[in-house]
Amino acid sequence: MKILKITTHWTPEEADCVYQFLDDLKEAIWQRYGEDILDMYKTIQDEQQAEHEECHFNDEIPF
């Protein structure tokens, strides 16, 4: 696991600059990988649904 140390004493201008950068970075990543991310979530959802459908519960009381 990588530990990221972030300066905790920023000016409001520095904090705003970082905040805007992260917003721009998020948008750039979404533009490039958005469809792939959505496909990944769809695959995960489909796999979870298939696992749920395969799971058979025995609701009968054994006595």
Side-chain angles (χ1 to χ4, degrees), residues 6-24:
I6 298 176
T7 301
T8 57
H9 302 286
W10 289 341
T11 65
E13 293 82 11
E14 291 170 328
D16 182 57
C17 183
V18 171
Y19 184 81
Q20 288 182 27
F21 168 75
L22 292 173
D23 197 40
D24 292 344

Side-chain angles (χ1 to χ4, degrees), residues 42-60:
K42 177 74 169 114
T43 299
I44 291 169
Q45 183 180 21
D46 291 346
E47 290 170 355
Q48 289 174 343
Q49 182 66 30
E51 288 175 11
H52 178 72
E53 290 173 358
E54 290 175 3
C55 186
H56 299 288
F57 293 101
N58 183 357
D59 290 338
E60 294 182 27

